Amino acid sequence: MTDDVLDHSRRKFFHFGAAALFASVTPTHAMAQSVSNKLKIGVIGSGHIGGTIGGLWVKAGHSVLFSSRHPEALDFGDVILVAVPYKAIPELAKDYGPKFAGKIVIDPANAVARRDGEDLLKETKEKGIGATTQSYLKGSHVVRAFNSMSYTNFVKEAHRAGDPMAIPIAGDDARAVQVASQLVRDAGFEPVAVPLARAQEFAQGGPLYGQQLTGKALRERFGLVK
């Protein structure tokens, strides 16, 4: 079987198979489209984060297109979850850069030396990881989110009883932050927003990485509560 055929099969799975994958806990694609004030979201990436967060959005009634190697998702929605290893972001920018313009891009990737290379890790530390993503995906509105802990915590803690778990997000575009905040709520968490320059604080290796906190506690850690 050729690579093209394999790629086509993968795309068919993520486009059509996602509904079946989440059928026991989510509305159908048709039902999702019938819900008012819902978004069309493209998910690039076939790993744990993309599947987990995308699945929670499907459950909330959003229309979600999953795309693995070929980002048809860029033409699908105004919101894109780029759930790929961080080294793939420069590659996506090189191949599809103009298609990101005007999109709200939610970036849950962390730069890791052994996977993404020392040079890219150094770049994220020198510029800040949020600014680095924004520098590659020019013209988009980047919001860093869902990168502060393992996907297993999102699986376990979504829509928990009592105070929801807080998700730190970072962005500079007011509308993008507003939309991302709503998507965090729809996934079953509480958003706590800071400027994009502070994204490094909850990236892997930062002081707030891996912290399971309530919204009040996270706002205190960010110094947002006087």
Side-chain angles (χ1 to χ4, degrees), residues 33 36 121 172 209 211:
Q33 288 186 321
S36 62
L121 177 61
D172 289 338
Y209 182 79
Q211 301 297 305

Side-chain angles (χ1 to χ4, degrees), residues 159-184:
H159 299 285
R160 75 183 184 189
D163 290 336
M165 184 175 75
I167 299 294
I169 69 174
D172 289 338
D173 181 85
R175 180 177 177 273
V177 170
Q178 180 182 27
V179 170
S181 295
Q182 186 58 54
L183 287 173
V184 169

Side-chain angles (χ1 to χ4, degrees), residues 195-206:
L196 194 60
R198 301 192 67 178
Q200 202 69 30
E201 295 175 41
F202 57 91
Q204 190 166 345

Side-chain angles (χ1 to χ4, degrees), residues 86 90 111 117-129 131-133 135-136 200:
Y86 200 84
E118 292 285 354
D119 289 344
L120 190 55
L121 177 61
K122 181 180 178 182
E123 182 180 3
T124 65
K125 289 184 175 180
E126 290 178 349
K127 290 182 181 178
I129 195 164
T132 301
T133 301
S135 72
Y136 283 110
Q200 202 69 30

Side-chain angles (χ1 to χ4, degrees), residues 17-216:
L21 181 63
F22 300 110
S24 63
V25 294
T26 65
T28 65
H29 184 77
M31 289 174 64
Q33 288 186 321
S34 71
V35 179
S36 62
N37 299 320
K38 296 302 179 180
L39 297 169
K40 295 176 72 175
I41 305 168
V43 176
I44 301 175
S46 58
H48 294 303
I49 288 291
T52 298
I53 303 304
L56 290 169
W57 287 336
V58 172
K59 185 177 181 180
H62 296 289
S63 186
V64 180
L65 172 66
F66 295 81
S67 180
S68 54
R69 294 182 60 183
H70 296 270
E72 295 91 340
L74 285 169
D75 295 318
F76 176 75
D78 292 325
V79 180
I80 309 296
L81 178 70
V82 185
V84 295
Y86 200 84
K87 66 181 178 182
I89 291 178
E91 298 169 8
L92 285 170
K94 180 180 178 181
D95 294 339
Y96 305 100
K99 287 183 175 289
F100 284 95
K103 305 281 188 179
I104 296 172
V105 175
I106 299 177
D107 172 22
N110 287 305
V112 180
R114 66 180 181 276
R115 180 192 63 200
D116 305 312
E118 292 285 354
D119 289 344
L120 190 55
L121 177 61
K122 181 180 178 182
E123 182 180 3
T124 65
K125 289 184 175 180
E126 290 178 349
K127 290 182 181 178
I129 195 164
T132 301
T133 301
Q134 186 69 78
S135 72
Y136 283 110
L137 304 182
K138 294 179 174 63
S140 69
H141 307 296
V142 171
V143 179
R144 291 277 298 170
F146 298 111
N147 67 287
S148 61
M149 61 189 69
S150 167
Y151 81 96
T152 57
N153 298 114
F154 302 135
V155 173
K156 291 185 296 184
E157 300 295 333
H159 299 285
R160 75 183 184 189
D163 290 336
M165 184 175 75
I167 299 294
I169 69 174
D172 289 338
D173 181 85
R175 180 177 177 273
V177 170
Q178 180 182 27
V179 170
S181 295
Q182 186 58 54
L183 287 173
V184 169
R185 294 186 189 97
D186 291 345
F189 309 101
E190 181 178 350
V192 176
V194 294
L196 194 60
R198 301 192 67 178
Q200 202 69 30
E201 295 175 41
F202 57 91
Q204 190 166 345
L208 292 177
Y209 182 79
Q211 301 297 305
Q212 295 186 49
L213 304 169
T214 63
K216 181 178 183 295

